[in-house]
C-alpha cells in the first residue's frame, strides 16, 4: 500500500468515509490505530506516509467495509 500523494490520501479518506464500522491499521509491536478515530487516524497516517506501509495492514469490523477497502486497494494497485 503506497499512500504518498495528496490524491492518495484523499482517496483513502473517501474509502474510510464509506465504511460504517471501525477500520484498523495494525503494525508490528502491537501497534493498532482505529482509523475512524481522529487522534488515532493522525498517528496512523503518519506511519503510512513515513514509509512503514510494508509493515502495516488494514482490517475491518464488517464484511461490507472490507469490500470497500479492497476496492480502494485494487484501484491503488492499478
Amino acid at each position: 500500500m503506497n499512500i504518498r500523494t495528496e490524491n492518495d490520501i484523499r482517496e483513502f479518506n473517501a474509502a474510510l468515509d464509506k465504511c460504517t464500522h471501525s477500520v484498523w491499521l495494525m503494525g508490528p509491536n502491537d501497534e493498532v490505530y482505529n482509523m475512524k478515530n481522529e487522534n488515532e487516524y493522525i498517528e496512523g497516517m503518519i506511519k503510512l506516509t513515513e514509509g512503514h506501509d510494508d509493515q502495516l495492514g488494514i482490517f475491518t469490523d464488517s464484511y461490507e467495509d472490507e469490500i470497500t477497502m479492497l476496492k480502494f486497494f485494487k484501484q491503488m494497485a492499478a
Side-chain angles (χ1 to χ4, degrees):
M1 170 176 37
N2 293 318
I3 297 179
R4 298 282 185 258
T5 67
E6 184 178 337
N7 191 50
D8 293 346
I9 293 171
R10 261 191 253 119
E11 291 178 16
F12 182 73
N13 288 337
L16 283 176
D17 288 343
K18 291 178 186 175
C19 295
T20 57
H21 296 87
S22 295
V23 177
W24 303 96
L25 178 67
M26 297 181 171
N29 306 321
D30 298 324
E31 294 173 90
V32 178
Y33 306 98
N34 179 352
M35 299 304 284
K36 300 289 273 185
N37 174 287
E38 185 176 349
N39 291 330
E40 293 183 31
Y41 166 84
I42 292 168
E43 293 178 43
M45 287 306 291
I46 289 169
K47 288 289 186 184
L48 279 173
T49 58
E50 282 182 336
H52 299 282
D53 51 342
D54 62 331
Q55 301 171 9
L56 302 169
I58 296 283
F59 300 89
T60 62
D61 286 341
S62 77
Y63 178 74
E64 292 81 13
D65 292 347
E66 183 176 340
I67 296 298
T68 298
M69 295 310 293
L70 284 173
K71 287 179 183 177
F72 166 75
F73 293 124
K74 183 177 179 181
Q75 178 184 348
M76 290 291 294

